[in-house]
Amino acid sequence: MRVVGWPCQEAGFAVSKINGKNTNRPELTAALDYARPGDTLCVWKLDRFARSLIDLVTMVDTLRERGIGFKVLTGALANIDPDTADGRLMLQVVGAMAELSAA
């Protein structure tokens, strides 16, 4: 298993301070293109990954379809496995709360 981090200097991607609301995120695009089945995409904070709850669910589902894991390193989701039913529920609850607080 390789860990593909975003942002992750070790994997050759620049550290990005762009938040999830920005649609032009070249480092995320590069990390997603680089990731292969069996890899795990790690993000520092959930709000750095997705723009909305729909975006979050779509991106995590796309990763799962490609055989790529997903891991949030900090916050409420740090110990959650989004590949389980409980983990998906928590991911969506926390994502919905984050979207609500950003509104």
Side-chain angles (χ1 to χ4, degrees):
M1 173 182 79
R2 293 184 312 162
V3 174
V4 179
W6 178 75
C8 180
Q9 291 174 316
E10 292 81 16
F13 303 107
V15 171
S16 174
K17 297 193 186 234
I18 297 171
N19 69 22
K21 289 186 179 184
N22 190 330
T23 58
N24 182 21
R25 298 178 289 166
E27 291 86 6
L28 175 59
T29 301
L32 292 172
D33 289 344
Y34 180 80
R36 300 290 178 258
D39 290 349
T40 298
L41 179 70
C42 296
V43 296
W44 183 249
K45 289 177 66 177
L46 189 61
D47 64 350
R48 298 289 182 198
F49 180 66
R51 296 182 303 274
S52 66
L53 178 58
I54 300 272
D55 191 38
L56 172 66
V57 171
T58 301
M59 289 173 38
V60 171
D61 284 348
T62 300
L63 289 171
R64 182 177 324 140
E65 289 169 3
R66 291 178 54 198
I68 300 166
F70 178 71
K71 176 80 174 142
V72 179
L73 300 177
T74 61
L77 295 174
N79 296 316
I80 301 299
D81 178 4
D83 289 332
T84 66
D86 291 343
R88 277 191 64 73
L89 174 63
M90 285 302 298
L91 183 72
Q92 292 180 14
V93 168
V94 172
M97 291 185 334
E99 184 176 348
L100 182 62
S101 70

